[in-house]
Amino acid sequence: MLGERLAAALGAARDGAAGIESFAHLLGSRRVGPRGVALALPEVCEGCAALVSALDSLSAAVRDGFVETGDAPAADAACAVLGHAGVEVARLTDELSRAAAGAPPGRAPVRGRGERGGAERGIDARQRLALEASVRRTARELSGALRLSELVMATLELRPTPLDLIDVLRNWSATAAEGRPVVGISVVSSDGRANEVEGDVRAVSGLMELAVGMVSAAGVASPHLTVSRLPDGRSTVRIAERSPREAAPAVALDVVVRDGGERAVAVARVVARRARVELVEGTGGRVVTMTF
């Protein structure tokens, strides 16, 4: 089990992220009037400030959690993601504070007005739309950051089990609720035995999602995933653009494209190393190969 301190810090960060997500829904609801939004702002500001602290505590707990393993790069990868999320939440906190004080976006509040003044006047339509876009941006950043950091944390307790790679692929979510693009991928398996691997389902599924994100970020519009068996008995997954000479896809899936940025790639490398999965990136990032 994860340490109590790490679990508590992660729970606090999740709660804070859920609060921001809820506020995004409130801003998007036309049943809630401008004054109702303004009245909610002070509480949301407090929640954001608490979330910044929770992310700092989670980073410290993650770093301490990897002390025993002697794996500083793993802690660095997770903390870089959480640090970026903290900066994003701090930015949103400042923006919401200005809105609560009745100042237009980008300007400091007028001294003496306070939060009550903003609530009495309400939030106009243009400011509301700007706030909604900003809050949703932060919600997306938090969702990705927590998922990436949890993927690194999962490697503290790897639980290898027999897996079928095609089943793992079919369990991917295709919902675009996070605001991330959904991309279609095609899958071919030339040997049913190649689908059978031993691994931690969290690490394997997370790595494949990140690999799809990596090649998509490199410009591959419809990634093609090939599962095959090497002469030494290991299984390999290759994600790239489909060659005209390759076989027709056996499975077609829609998946949410996860981050393919520098921090996400660093997480993929760390998780692959800790899960003992050989991950190779092709030139330009348009090909990713994983060997189990």
mmCIF file of all heavy atoms in Angstrom, residues 140 169 172-186 209 212-213 216-217 220-223 252-259:
data_model
loop_
_atom_site.group_PDB
_atom_site.id
_atom_site.type_symbol
_atom_site.label_atom_id
_atom_site.label_comp_id
_atom_site.label_asym_id
_atom_site.label_seq_id
_atom_site.Cartn_x
_atom_site.Cartn_y
_atom_site.Cartn_z
ATOM 1 N N ARG A 140 -8.185 20.946 -17.123
ATOM 2 C CA ARG A 140 -7.508 20.008 -18.028
ATOM 3 C C ARG A 140 -6.069 19.774 -17.597
ATOM 4 O O ARG A 140 -5.578 18.646 -17.600
ATOM 5 C CB ARG A 140 -7.544 20.534 -19.473
ATOM 6 C CG ARG A 140 -8.896 20.461 -20.146
ATOM 7 C CD ARG A 140 -8.774 20.680 -21.648
ATOM 8 N NE ARG A 140 -8.231 21.987 -21.972
ATOM 9 C CZ ARG A 140 -8.959 23.076 -22.150
ATOM 10 N NH1 ARG A 140 -10.279 23.024 -22.006
ATOM 11 N NH2 ARG A 140 -8.391 24.221 -22.464
ATOM 12 N N LEU A 169 -6.140 -2.561 -24.637
ATOM 13 C CA LEU A 169 -6.493 -1.512 -25.602
ATOM 14 C C LEU A 169 -7.995 -1.258 -25.616
ATOM 15 O O LEU A 169 -8.449 -0.112 -25.667
ATOM 16 C CB LEU A 169 -6.031 -1.913 -27.001
ATOM 17 C CG LEU A 169 -4.521 -1.975 -27.229
ATOM 18 C CD1 LEU A 169 -4.221 -2.594 -28.578
ATOM 19 C CD2 LEU A 169 -3.923 -0.582 -27.145
ATOM 20 N N TRP A 172 -9.595 1.140 -23.040
ATOM 21 C CA TRP A 172 -9.321 2.574 -23.061
ATOM 22 C C TRP A 172 -10.625 3.346 -23.161
ATOM 23 O O TRP A 172 -11.566 2.938 -23.842
ATOM 24 C CB TRP A 172 -8.455 2.938 -24.264
ATOM 25 C CG TRP A 172 -7.022 2.602 -24.082
ATOM 26 C CD1 TRP A 172 -6.437 1.992 -23.024
ATOM 27 C CD2 TRP A 172 -5.976 2.862 -25.018
ATOM 28 N NE1 TRP A 172 -5.099 1.841 -23.235
ATOM 29 C CE2 TRP A 172 -4.785 2.362 -24.442
ATOM 30 C CE3 TRP A 172 -5.927 3.447 -26.275
ATOM 31 C CZ2 TRP A 172 -3.558 2.453 -25.095
ATOM 32 C CZ3 TRP A 172 -4.719 3.534 -26.907
ATOM 33 C CH2 TRP A 172 -3.543 3.044 -26.332
ATOM 34 N N SER A 173 -10.639 4.502 -22.514
ATOM 35 C CA SER A 173 -11.823 5.358 -22.581
ATOM 36 C C SER A 173 -11.728 6.261 -23.803
ATOM 37 O O SER A 173 -10.664 6.781 -24.122
ATOM 38 C CB SER A 173 -11.919 6.216 -21.312
ATOM 39 O OG SER A 173 -12.903 7.200 -21.452
ATOM 40 N N ALA A 174 -12.857 6.429 -24.482
ATOM 41 C CA ALA A 174 -12.876 7.304 -25.651
ATOM 42 C C ALA A 174 -13.665 8.576 -25.383
ATOM 43 O O ALA A 174 -14.000 9.308 -26.298
ATOM 44 C CB ALA A 174 -13.478 6.573 -26.853
ATOM 45 N N THR A 175 -13.978 8.861 -24.119
ATOM 46 C CA THR A 175 -14.739 10.067 -23.822
ATOM 47 C C THR A 175 -13.862 11.300 -23.923
ATOM 48 O O THR A 175 -12.712 11.288 -23.509
ATOM 49 C CB THR A 175 -15.353 9.997 -22.411
ATOM 50 O OG1 THR A 175 -16.019 11.225 -22.139
ATOM 51 C CG2 THR A 175 -14.286 9.761 -21.344
ATOM 52 N N ALA A 176 -14.404 12.355 -24.483
ATOM 53 C CA ALA A 176 -13.656 13.601 -24.629
ATOM 54 C C ALA A 176 -14.056 14.599 -23.557
ATOM 55 O O ALA A 176 -13.892 15.800 -23.710
ATOM 56 C CB ALA A 176 -13.892 14.196 -26.009
ATOM 57 N N ALA A 177 -14.583 14.102 -22.431
ATOM 58 C CA ALA A 177 -15.061 14.982 -21.373
ATOM 59 C C ALA A 177 -13.955 15.878 -20.829
ATOM 60 O O ALA A 177 -14.211 16.961 -20.342
ATOM 61 C CB ALA A 177 -15.659 14.156 -20.240
ATOM 62 N N GLU A 178 -12.713 15.441 -20.905
ATOM 63 C CA GLU A 178 -11.606 16.227 -20.392
ATOM 64 C C GLU A 178 -11.256 17.382 -21.326
ATOM 65 O O GLU A 178 -10.442 18.215 -21.011
ATOM 66 C CB GLU A 178 -10.362 15.346 -20.224
ATOM 67 C CG GLU A 178 -10.551 14.217 -19.227
ATOM 68 C CD GLU A 178 -9.347 13.292 -19.210
ATOM 69 O OE1 GLU A 178 -8.494 13.429 -20.108
ATOM 70 O OE2 GLU A 178 -9.268 12.459 -18.321
ATOM 71 N N GLY A 179 -11.875 17.413 -22.486
ATOM 72 C CA GLY A 179 -11.543 18.441 -23.452
ATOM 73 C C GLY A 179 -10.349 18.086 -24.307
ATOM 74 O O GLY A 179 -9.868 18.898 -25.088
ATOM 75 N N ARG A 180 -9.867 16.876 -24.177
ATOM 76 C CA ARG A 180 -8.727 16.440 -24.981
ATOM 77 C C ARG A 180 -9.243 15.813 -26.283
ATOM 78 O O ARG A 180 -10.310 15.227 -26.312
ATOM 79 C CB ARG A 180 -7.877 15.428 -24.208
ATOM 80 C CG ARG A 180 -7.318 15.997 -22.919
ATOM 81 C CD ARG A 180 -6.447 14.977 -22.199
ATOM 82 N NE ARG A 180 -6.030 15.491 -20.903
ATOM 83 C CZ ARG A 180 -5.001 16.306 -20.719
ATOM 84 N NH1 ARG A 180 -4.294 16.692 -21.760
ATOM 85 N NH2 ARG A 180 -4.691 16.739 -19.527
ATOM 86 N N PRO A 181 -8.468 15.934 -27.361
ATOM 87 C CA PRO A 181 -8.928 15.382 -28.636
ATOM 88 C C PRO A 181 -8.999 13.861 -28.615
ATOM 89 O O PRO A 181 -8.219 13.197 -27.934
ATOM 90 C CB PRO A 181 -7.870 15.871 -29.631
ATOM 91 C CG PRO A 181 -6.654 16.120 -28.800
ATOM 92 C CD PRO A 181 -7.161 16.603 -27.478
ATOM 93 N N VAL A 182 -9.949 13.322 -29.347
ATOM 94 C CA VAL A 182 -10.090 11.883 -29.501
ATOM 95 C C VAL A 182 -9.543 11.510 -30.874
ATOM 96 O O VAL A 182 -9.846 12.145 -31.877
ATOM 97 C CB VAL A 182 -11.562 11.448 -29.395
ATOM 98 C CG1 VAL A 182 -11.719 9.975 -29.732
ATOM 99 C CG2 VAL A 182 -12.092 11.728 -27.993
ATOM 100 N N VAL A 183 -8.705 10.488 -30.917
ATOM 101 C CA VAL A 183 -8.090 10.068 -32.174
ATOM 102 C C VAL A 183 -8.396 8.591 -32.408
ATOM 103 O O VAL A 183 -8.476 7.805 -31.469
ATOM 104 C CB VAL A 183 -6.560 10.306 -32.144
ATOM 105 C CG1 VAL A 183 -5.908 9.474 -31.062
ATOM 106 C CG2 VAL A 183 -5.935 10.017 -33.498
ATOM 107 N N GLY A 184 -8.595 8.229 -33.665
ATOM 108 C CA GLY A 184 -8.816 6.833 -34.010
ATOM 109 C C GLY A 184 -7.494 6.124 -34.233
ATOM 110 O O GLY A 184 -6.606 6.656 -34.903
ATOM 111 N N ILE A 185 -7.341 4.942 -33.650
ATOM 112 C CA ILE A 185 -6.136 4.145 -33.898
ATOM 113 C C ILE A 185 -6.549 2.777 -34.435
ATOM 114 O O ILE A 185 -7.628 2.278 -34.118
ATOM 115 C CB ILE A 185 -5.267 3.973 -32.638
ATOM 116 C CG1 ILE A 185 -5.977 3.083 -31.603
ATOM 117 C CG2 ILE A 185 -4.915 5.314 -32.020
ATOM 118 C CD1 ILE A 185 -5.080 2.682 -30.446
ATOM 119 N N SER A 186 -5.709 2.207 -35.262
ATOM 120 C CA SER A 186 -5.953 0.864 -35.783
ATOM 121 C C SER A 186 -4.922 -0.089 -35.180
ATOM 122 O O SER A 186 -3.792 0.304 -34.884
ATOM 123 C CB SER A 186 -5.861 0.844 -37.310
ATOM 124 O OG SER A 186 -4.609 1.328 -37.740
ATOM 125 N N GLU A 209 -1.027 4.615 -23.759
ATOM 126 C CA GLU A 209 -1.718 5.888 -23.978
ATOM 127 C C GLU A 209 -0.724 7.013 -24.224
ATOM 128 O O GLU A 209 -0.920 7.849 -25.112
ATOM 129 C CB GLU A 209 -2.598 6.207 -22.777
ATOM 130 C CG GLU A 209 -3.840 5.339 -22.670
ATOM 131 C CD GLU A 209 -4.764 5.835 -21.575
ATOM 132 O OE1 GLU A 209 -5.211 6.995 -21.648
ATOM 133 O OE2 GLU A 209 -5.038 5.060 -20.642
ATOM 134 N N VAL A 212 0.782 6.763 -27.718
ATOM 135 C CA VAL A 212 -0.131 7.291 -28.745
ATOM 136 C C VAL A 212 -0.071 8.814 -28.749
ATOM 137 O O VAL A 212 -0.047 9.457 -29.809
ATOM 138 C CB VAL A 212 -1.566 6.788 -28.503
ATOM 139 C CG1 VAL A 212 -2.555 7.525 -29.410
ATOM 140 C CG2 VAL A 212 -1.659 5.286 -28.760
ATOM 141 N N GLY A 213 -0.052 9.416 -27.546
ATOM 142 C CA GLY A 213 0.047 10.866 -27.457
ATOM 143 C C GLY A 213 1.336 11.394 -28.050
ATOM 144 O O GLY A 213 1.365 12.445 -28.699
ATOM 145 N N SER A 216 1.157 11.174 -31.878
ATOM 146 C CA SER A 216 0.157 12.138 -32.344
ATOM 147 C C SER A 216 0.723 13.547 -32.293
ATOM 148 O O SER A 216 0.523 14.347 -33.215
ATOM 149 C CB SER A 216 -1.108 12.044 -31.492
ATOM 150 O OG SER A 216 -1.729 10.783 -31.641
ATOM 151 N N ALA A 217 1.445 13.857 -31.202
ATOM 152 C CA ALA A 217 2.059 15.178 -31.075
ATOM 153 C C ALA A 217 3.109 15.405 -32.155
ATOM 154 O O ALA A 217 3.383 16.547 -32.545
ATOM 155 C CB ALA A 217 2.690 15.337 -29.695
ATOM 156 N N VAL A 220 1.424 12.355 -36.400
ATOM 157 C CA VAL A 220 0.753 11.168 -36.944
ATOM 158 C C VAL A 220 -0.729 11.282 -36.615
ATOM 159 O O VAL A 220 -1.128 11.195 -35.454
ATOM 160 C CB VAL A 220 1.344 9.872 -36.347
ATOM 161 C CG1 VAL A 220 0.591 8.651 -36.871
ATOM 162 C CG2 VAL A 220 2.824 9.770 -36.682
ATOM 163 N N ALA A 221 -1.551 11.476 -37.641
ATOM 164 C CA ALA A 221 -2.975 11.753 -37.426
ATOM 165 C C ALA A 221 -3.763 10.529 -36.977
ATOM 166 O O ALA A 221 -4.632 10.625 -36.111
ATOM 167 C CB ALA A 221 -3.589 12.326 -38.705
ATOM 168 N N SER A 222 -3.477 9.376 -37.553
ATOM 169 C CA SER A 222 -4.197 8.148 -37.216
ATOM 170 C C SER A 222 -3.182 7.045 -36.916
ATOM 171 O O SER A 222 -2.817 6.265 -37.808
ATOM 172 C CB SER A 222 -5.105 7.721 -38.375
ATOM 173 O OG SER A 222 -6.075 8.720 -38.629
ATOM 174 N N PRO A 223 -2.728 6.965 -35.696
ATOM 175 C CA PRO A 223 -1.682 5.987 -35.353
ATOM 176 C C PRO A 223 -2.095 4.543 -35.636
ATOM 177 O O PRO A 223 -3.260 4.174 -35.485
ATOM 178 C CB PRO A 223 -1.468 6.209 -33.853
ATOM 179 C CG PRO A 223 -1.951 7.594 -33.601
ATOM 180 C CD PRO A 223 -3.098 7.790 -34.547
ATOM 181 N N ALA A 252 -10.248 -1.443 -34.505
ATOM 182 C CA ALA A 252 -10.241 0.014 -34.627
ATOM 183 C C ALA A 252 -10.778 0.605 -33.331
ATOM 184 O O ALA A 252 -11.836 0.197 -32.845
ATOM 185 C CB ALA A 252 -11.099 0.459 -35.810
ATOM 186 N N LEU A 253 -10.040 1.544 -32.757
ATOM 187 C CA LEU A 253 -10.411 2.120 -31.472
ATOM 188 C C LEU A 253 -10.329 3.639 -31.519
ATOM 189 O O LEU A 253 -9.531 4.201 -32.264
ATOM 190 C CB LEU A 253 -9.476 1.626 -30.364
ATOM 191 C CG LEU A 253 -9.401 0.122 -30.111
ATOM 192 C CD1 LEU A 253 -8.204 -0.175 -29.218
ATOM 193 C CD2 LEU A 253 -10.676 -0.354 -29.437
ATOM 194 N N ASP A 254 -11.162 4.283 -30.710
ATOM 195 C CA ASP A 254 -11.034 5.718 -30.483
ATOM 196 C C ASP A 254 -10.505 5.913 -29.076
ATOM 197 O O ASP A 254 -11.037 5.342 -28.120
ATOM 198 C CB ASP A 254 -12.395 6.425 -30.606
ATOM 199 C CG ASP A 254 -12.864 6.523 -32.043
ATOM 200 O OD1 ASP A 254 -11.998 6.607 -32.933
ATOM 201 O OD2 ASP A 254 -14.080 6.500 -32.273
ATOM 202 N N VAL A 255 -9.453 6.693 -28.948
ATOM 203 C CA VAL A 255 -8.868 6.927 -27.620
ATOM 204 C C VAL A 255 -8.666 8.418 -27.408
ATOM 205 O O VAL A 255 -8.516 9.187 -28.354
ATOM 206 C CB VAL A 255 -7.520 6.201 -27.454
ATOM 207 C CG1 VAL A 255 -7.665 4.712 -27.655
ATOM 208 C CG2 VAL A 255 -6.481 6.772 -28.391
ATOM 209 N N VAL A 256 -8.680 8.812 -26.135
ATOM 210 C CA VAL A 256 -8.346 10.180 -25.789
ATOM 211 C C VAL A 256 -6.836 10.340 -25.889
ATOM 212 O O VAL A 256 -6.088 9.561 -25.316
ATOM 213 C CB VAL A 256 -8.809 10.512 -24.356
ATOM 214 C CG1 VAL A 256 -8.361 11.907 -23.962
ATOM 215 C CG2 VAL A 256 -10.323 10.406 -24.259
ATOM 216 N N VAL A 257 -6.385 11.321 -26.647
ATOM 217 C CA VAL A 257 -4.956 11.553 -26.792
ATOM 218 C C VAL A 257 -4.429 12.198 -25.520
ATOM 219 O O VAL A 257 -4.857 13.278 -25.131
ATOM 220 C CB VAL A 257 -4.660 12.465 -28.001
ATOM 221 C CG1 VAL A 257 -3.168 12.778 -28.057
ATOM 222 C CG2 VAL A 257 -5.085 11.790 -29.283
ATOM 223 N N ARG A 258 -3.531 11.512 -24.840
ATOM 224 C CA ARG A 258 -2.901 12.056 -23.646
ATOM 225 C C ARG A 258 -1.747 12.966 -24.038
ATOM 226 O O ARG A 258 -1.354 13.036 -25.198
ATOM 227 C CB ARG A 258 -2.392 10.907 -22.759
ATOM 228 C CG ARG A 258 -3.490 9.973 -22.301
ATOM 229 C CD ARG A 258 -4.425 10.637 -21.303
ATOM 230 N NE ARG A 258 -5.536 9.763 -20.964
ATOM 231 C CZ ARG A 258 -6.501 10.095 -20.105
ATOM 232 N NH1 ARG A 258 -6.483 11.281 -19.527
ATOM 233 N NH2 ARG A 258 -7.474 9.251 -19.846
ATOM 234 N N ASP A 259 -1.207 13.651 -23.067
ATOM 235 C CA ASP A 259 -0.146 14.620 -23.325
ATOM 236 C C ASP A 259 1.046 13.983 -24.033
ATOM 237 O O ASP A 259 1.472 12.890 -23.687
ATOM 238 C CB ASP A 259 0.337 15.234 -22.008
ATOM 239 C CG ASP A 259 -0.790 15.981 -21.303
ATOM 240 O OD1 ASP A 259 -1.444 16.782 -21.976
ATOM 241 O OD2 ASP A 259 -0.998 15.751 -20.107
#
